Amino acid sequence: MSQIRELLDCFKKVATCPGKIVREYREKTGKGAVGCFPVYTPEEIPHAAGMLPVGMWGGETTLRLAPSALPSFACSIMQSITELQLQGVYDSLVAVIVSSPCDTLKAMGQKWRRQVPCIQFAHSRNTKIDAAADYTRREYQSIRARLEAACATTISDEAIQTSVRIYNEHRQVMREFSGLAASHPDLVNPIDRHMVMKSAFFMRKENHTVLVKALNGLLAKAAKKPWEGVKIIVSGIMLEPVSVLEVFKQNQIAVVGDDLAQESRQYRVDAPEGADPLDSLARQWLSMYGCSLIPDPEKSRFSLLRSLVEQRGADGIVLCVMKFCEPEEFDYPPMKAYMEKNGINLLQIEIDQQIQSVEQIRTRIQSFAEILRAQRARRASIAQL
Amino acid sequence: MDKSATSREMLDYYLKKSYADAAAAKKSGKKICWATSISPCEFCETLGIHMLYPENHAAAIAARHGAEDMIQVAERKGYCLDICSYARLNLAYADIGRSVAEEMPLPDFLLVCNNICEVVIKWFENLSYELKIPLITLDMPYNYGPEPTERGVDYIVAQFEDCVRQMEIITGNTFDWQRFNEVMDIALESSFWWLKAMSLASANPSPLNGFDMFNYMALIVCLRGKNGCRDTFRKLTEELEEKIRLGYTAFPGGEKYRIMWEGIACWPYLNFTFRTMRNSGMNLTGSTYPVAWALEYDRGDLRSLARAYASTANNSSLPGQIDLRVRVMREYGCEGATYHMNRSCKTMAFLHHEMQGAVSAATNTPFISFDGDQSDPRNFSGAQFETRIQGLREMIDQRRQARPGREGEL
């Protein structure tokens, strides 16, 4: 038990002090960090260059400079990133890599104002044809070339191949962690779970894998205890700030699975093994599914969530819609209809990294938890009859 | 169509006809395609598929003051008010099937091309999911650099070929590549005459009341692959050239200031914004719309077609967007610019800060920005617009005073 707590605290330390981690990495290795914007940036490429790929998912910060650069109706993550950028927080990075799956990110790559090189790229948005794999592979090749220039180094195929293997192993370990955390809500609360996920953005993945494996080993051996609270699946771009997770914890709500871009979505699909590592990464992109940022007229995200609810015995879903994120906002109405049709409880909350007070969210979460508890009690009493 | 008809009469005739033809086609079992505004019309046109454009339809609903009720239908369904109002309007229309604008038959399939924004990907995805119909995607990778890359062009050409295959399956007809070349000819001519007519706004005084451009635009959006579109803009060119010859201006009260309008119109307030600018003697002579549909490519060359559709203004990098606006300001003799901070259009609005500063510095002209929305009437303040226009006028006057003689030129 104490070993588990020690490990969880270790993840928390990493997740809450990224600046220190980047500094230490630079001092220890002589290599720098590469900022990776959300979402689906092929981190394997900077990793293969010996860099520390760090996730850039904004953070809790007061917007002082950002309003002069970005309209108020841009999503909360990009507001934070703009603020931190203008404060010079990212100036120590070697480069930043920016994907372009939405209009906001397209603009963000163009609006980059610092000396740090900005490497923008565009995934294929039509994932149904073979030519998309070739295009994406060549786009990744362009990332490699621009990163080589920024890092003044070469990135070999072999090095990327090794990184692909490291990342595949990490994905597998993270998927296992998600399952084990769901079995032990008494040991891994929603904040702990998030910190394990988030810390992956600030560690070399081979090192993160070692730590998560150790945690998984301990969780696998731990006795399963009945959970008196409710169990939910969370979906969306991300579930922060921690004050919102605190509300989950206080209300005995266990997060038993997630469909968050910042968490499990990135671990859903491995890169297939192959001779050309950039082709492997491109094919991984084409295999990804169930995300608001990946075009999908079938909306496989909904059936994926339904399966997750069933597999993990969840009482409902909390959809965490990032404020001003149109891809997520478009998914809500059909998702609501789908979940209603399938008898799955769904609560939508709005995520804002700059949120001043969580009281409105608290009320909604409390009410949702009460509804779920009442349903569970009703089901239990029917079962007894 | 009567040969003596004016371009305005031709515009009305062909637009009404296109909706009527689509309704008749739907009744007779022919295929209807809903498409995004700068998607390649050439493929559908070749196969005789009737194309309709939800963006244009949404604009028409908003201009006829029918937006608010429909938007609320979408919002009751759960669509957030932050979502593009064209999308909210159209998703509501797909549900209820009627509006204050023309009847737009429901589609048999969809064609989405993201060379204007990424929102259309989600919007059409939802239509496809709700209506249970095929969605054909033409992905035009974002030009974060100066121009489309060769890898991007290879990928787009492969999508064109796949698009043809899918359309053949949907219609049961074989794609006629000879007919395709003919359609390309018509579309190229339509684009040519559209740009030619619109570029006459550069004359001093302009023979074109800039808000007329917003009206004529419907035709280049909806009927670019048809003879009627080409003929209308050829006629309009003749009319405008005649007006220039006579020194006539369509701008009532005379043109005192020439302005660039950046962004989509505020359709619910088209008349109000026009009157406010007119009362200040401002004519909207500059816009990026003329080049938006001035698609130039080599007939019969899919790679050239791919480059043309991938190079739209909205799909361009920030330096490209700035260059375009500087060019517009100079070519159309604009002394100032209004930037529409459009709540519905993140693609355009999010680069405004950088664009405004750079364009203003390069052309030594002032600008104003106002809050609005292309079709949600709740996101616009008339008083703010009036004040900003007044401010723009004062800034231009100040600059003129600093450069005596400028007023006399106008």
Side-chain angles (χ1 to χ4, degrees):
Chain A
M1 172 69 186
S2 63
Q3 274 181 298
I4 290 175
R5 181 44 53 198
E6 274 172 28
L7 272 171
L8 290 172
D9 287 345
C10 178
F11 289 114
K12 188 179 174 187
K13 265 186 203 158
V14 172
T16 50
C17 305
K20 182 168 167 270
I21 300 288
V22 168
R23 231 175 6 257
E24 284 174 359
Y25 184 79
R26 202 171 43 238
E27 283 162 12
K28 199 171 150 191
T29 66
K31 300 221 172 183
V34 171
C36 298
F37 270 65
V39 291
Y40 307 119
T41 302
E43 279 188 26
E44 288 87 342
I45 302 173
H47 182 273
M51 300 287 153
L52 175 65
V54 293
M56 291 172 68
W57 292 77
E60 288 176 69
T61 180
T62 305
L63 302 181
R64 293 193 190 92
L65 305 170
S68 69
L70 195 60
S72 59
F73 51 100
C75 82
S76 166
I77 304 179
M78 298 307 148
Q79 295 283 2
S80 304
I81 290 179
T82 302
E83 178 66 29
L84 296 171
Q85 179 199 150
L86 295 176
Q87 286 177 14
V89 171
Y90 304 130
D91 284 359
S92 64
L93 296 174
V94 174
V96 295
I97 305 177
V98 186
S99 62
S100 316
C102 68
D103 293 322
T104 309
L105 276 161
K106 279 179 175 177
M108 288 299 288
Q110 297 294 309
K111 291 169 80 77
W112 186 255
R113 292 184 180 190
R114 312 303 288 190
Q115 290 296 315
V116 175
C118 174
I119 300 170
Q120 193 163 17
F121 75 104
H123 284 114
S124 56
R125 309 279 289 143
N126 182 348
T127 52
K128 305 279 184 221
I129 60 171
D130 277 349
D134 181 56
Y135 162 76
T136 306
R137 181 186 61 76
R138 289 159 73 188
E139 194 68 2
Y140 287 174
Q141 176 61 38
S142 162
I143 295 177
R144 165 155 82 175
R146 286 180 279 164
L147 196 60
E148 283 175 338
C151 302
T153 185
T154 52
I155 307 171
S156 68
D157 274 357
E158 291 71 28
I160 302 177
Q161 195 77 273
T162 304
S163 297
V164 167
R165 280 193 211 105
I166 288 170
Y167 272 71
N168 274 348
E169 187 187 9
H170 181 253
R171 287 186 194 98
Q172 190 194 329
V173 168
M174 293 306 283
R175 291 194 293 264
E176 283 166 13
F177 165 71
S178 175
L180 287 163
S183 305
H184 297 283
D186 54 319
L187 299 177
V188 184
N189 68 44
I191 299 173
D192 296 329
R193 186 184 183 283
H194 172 65
M195 294 300 173
V196 173
M197 294 282 185
K198 189 174 180 180
S199 58
F201 287 115
F202 309 116
M203 288 178 76
R204 291 275 295 183
K205 291 295 189 287
E206 57 272 35
N207 299 336
H208 197 255
T209 297
V210 171
L211 278 185
V212 180
K213 265 188 178 174
L215 178 62
N216 287 352
L218 293 170
L219 288 172
K221 281 186 216 147
K224 288 184 187 174
K225 290 184 184 166
W227 176 247
E228 297 301 321
V230 296
K231 295 179 177 179
I232 54 137
I233 302 293
V234 292
S235 179
I237 299 296
M238 68 195 298
L239 178 47
E240 276 188 358
V242 171
S243 52
V244 177
L245 285 159
E246 190 67 49
V247 176
F248 282 71
K249 188 180 155 191
Q250 287 163 355
N251 285 279
Q252 284 231 299
I253 297 171
V255 174
V256 294
D258 82 85
D259 161 50
L260 297 173
Q262 195 195 22
E263 301 189 5
S264 291
R265 279 185 195 170
Q266 57 182 326
Y267 302 129
R268 208 167 268 159
V269 177
D270 289 344
E273 294 279 331
D276 178 350
L278 294 183
D279 182 62
S280 297
L281 291 174
R283 293 197 180 277
Q284 180 206 16
W285 163 247
L286 262 62
S287 306
M288 286 184 180
Y289 61 98
C291 169
S292 58
L293 289 149
I294 299 171
D296 177 14
E298 310 291 326
K299 300 275 186 192
S300 60
R301 178 184 181 186
F302 305 165
S303 53
L304 180 149
L305 277 167
R306 182 184 169 191
S307 303
L308 200 54
V309 165
E310 288 166 2
Q311 281 165 20
R312 302 271 168 99
D315 300 294
I317 299 168
V318 175
L319 178 64
C320 312
V321 176
M322 175 60 60
K323 194 174 181 182
F324 299 122
C325 173
E326 280 180 312
E328 283 288 312
E329 289 169 351
F330 267 103
D331 270 2
Y332 173 63
M335 184 192 288
K336 180 168 161 270
Y338 180 94
M339 296 307 164
E340 274 170 10
K341 191 176 159 197
N342 287 284
I344 296 170
N345 299 296
L346 175 71
L347 172 73
Q348 183 206 30
I349 59 170
E350 189 176 71
I351 295 297
D352 180 354
Q353 291 190 328
Q354 286 82 43
I355 197 166
Q356 300 292 317
S357 160
V358 294
E359 294 316 307
Q360 194 185 35
I361 288 180
R362 186 189 306 283
T363 309
R364 304 192 67 212
I365 297 276
Q366 277 173 344
S367 310
F368 191 57
E370 279 167 24
I371 292 166
L372 298 183
R373 273 193 205 96
Q375 273 186 3
R376 187 182 266 199
R378 207 160 45 241
R379 276 202 301 271
S381 60
I382 290 168
Q384 279 178 354
L385 291 173
Chain B
M1 185 74 203
D2 182 354
K3 283 192 176 167
S4 65
T6 64
S7 65
R8 189 62 198 236
E9 287 165 345
M10 291 168 82
L11 166 72
D12 293 342
Y13 170 80
Y14 285 120
L15 272 183
K16 278 189 185 138
K17 185 175 182 303
S18 79
Y19 281 108
D21 287 352
K26 183 78 180 177
K27 274 184 194 145
S28 65
K30 287 186 182 152
K31 300 297 179 192
I32 302 289
C33 169
W34 281 8
T36 49
S37 59
I38 318 185
S39 58
C41 63
E42 291 82 353
F43 299 106
C44 280
E45 196 62 43
T46 300
L47 280 162
I49 298 163
H50 285 264
M51 293 179 86
L52 293 166
Y53 296 84
E55 290 155 75
N56 180 260
H57 192 247
I61 294 169
R64 292 176 203 184
H65 305 291
E68 194 162 346
D69 290 347
M70 293 193 74
I71 281 173
Q72 283 172 6
V73 169
E75 287 173 0
R76 276 199 292 277
K77 216 173 158 184
Y79 284 101
C80 178
L81 54 81
D82 302 324
I83 288 176
C84 162
S85 55
Y86 279 176
R88 279 179 284 150
L89 265 173
N90 179 248
L91 286 159
Y93 181 84
D95 249 13
I96 56 184
R98 62 188 153 75
S99 72
V100 295
E102 283 81 2
E103 181 198 343
M104 184 167 72
L106 289 181
D108 297 289
F109 74 99
L110 303 154
L111 177 63
V112 65
C113 182
N114 59 345
N115 56 359
I116 47 171
C117 68
E118 289 302 319
V119 162
V120 291
I121 294 268
K122 292 302 290 185
W123 169 3
F124 277 54
E125 180 181 298
N126 279 25
L127 282 173
S128 172
Y129 178 79
E130 300 275 1
L131 299 173
K132 298 180 177 57
I133 53 172
L135 170 65
I136 299 177
T137 302
L138 291 175
D139 173 25
M140 305 281 152
Y142 180 53
N143 299 316
Y144 49 79
E147 58 189 11
T149 58
E150 282 306 298
R151 59 183 173 276
V153 171
D154 290 346
Y155 165 52
I156 295 166
V157 169
Q159 292 180 84
F160 284 163
E161 288 161 352
D162 187 60
C163 163
V164 167
R165 274 194 293 276
Q166 290 188 67
M167 286 184 182
E168 283 181 332
I169 293 168
I170 289 167
T171 58
N173 296 329
T174 305
F175 195 81
D176 179 345
W177 291 93
Q178 182 53 42
R179 170 73 188 139
F180 182 56
N181 281 341
E182 291 163 16
V183 170
M184 287 174 118
D185 281 338
I186 298 168
L188 281 166
E189 285 187 61
S190 291
S191 291
F192 171 82
W193 287 108
W194 156 258
L195 183 62
K196 173 105 176 155
M198 294 303 124
S199 62
L200 294 175
S202 62
N204 194 353
S206 169
L208 191 68
N209 154 16
F211 279 76
D212 277 347
M213 181 196 63
F214 289 136
N215 293 321
Y216 280 106
M217 204 171 76
L219 207 59
I220 193 72
V221 172
C222 301
L223 296 171
R224 201 158 32 86
K226 292 192 186 293
N227 290 330
C229 178
R230 174 197 62 197
D231 297 344
T232 304
F233 290 121
R234 191 157 50 194
K235 181 77 177 181
L236 177 61
T237 304
E238 287 167 13
E239 291 168 359
L240 295 176
E241 281 173 341
E242 178 64 6
K243 284 176 181 170
I244 292 170
R245 199 178 62 78
L246 297 172
Y248 170 85
T249 171
F251 190 72
E255 178 182 282
K256 294 194 183 96
Y257 307 90
R258 296 163 68 89
I259 303 299
M260 179 181 81
W261 177 289
E262 160 52 35
I264 300 174
C266 280
W267 295 110
Y269 300 98
L270 197 63
N271 194 31
F272 177 84
T273 46
F274 167 64
R275 276 191 290 107
T276 305
M277 291 180 76
R278 182 193 63 191
N279 293 342
S280 282
M282 286 184 185
N283 192 11
L284 191 171
T285 57
S287 164
T288 55
Y289 278 125
V291 294
W293 285 276
L295 293 146
E296 287 180 37
Y297 48 79
D298 298 328
R299 175 184 188 266
D301 181 354
L302 286 181
R303 294 188 74 78
S304 174
L305 190 74
R307 276 194 203 91
Y309 279 100
S311 302
T312 55
N314 280 11
N315 210 34
S316 300
S317 65
L318 177 61
Q321 303 239 29
I322 290 168
D323 286 350
L324 171 62
R325 282 150 186 90
V326 168
R327 225 167 45 235
V328 167
M329 293 285 291
R330 287 181 179 149
E331 284 176 17
Y332 293 83
C334 299
E335 287 185 278
T338 67
Y339 285 80
H340 177 191
M341 183 54 78
N342 183 351
R343 283 298 287 248
S344 278
C345 188
K346 293 181 165 70
T347 296
M348 290 179 169
F350 285 2
L351 293 177
H352 270 190
H353 281 108
E354 291 76 11
M355 259 188 232
Q356 288 162 350
V359 173
S360 174
T363 58
N364 191 24
T365 53
F367 65 87
I368 54 113
S369 174
F370 68 94
D371 300 309
D373 192 283
Q374 58 207 30
S375 54
D376 189 336
R378 299 167 298 183
N379 292 335
F380 177 82
S381 157
Q384 188 207 50
F385 186 75
E386 284 174 329
T387 313
R388 300 278 162 97
I389 289 296
Q390 195 181 355
L392 181 62
R393 197 180 63 197
E394 287 168 7
M395 286 190 284
I396 296 174
D397 283 343
Q398 271 181 357
R399 287 178 190 232
R400 282 182 180 179
Q401 280 163 14
R403 286 181 296 167
R406 177 73 178 132
E407 193 171 8
E409 290 170 23
L410 297 167

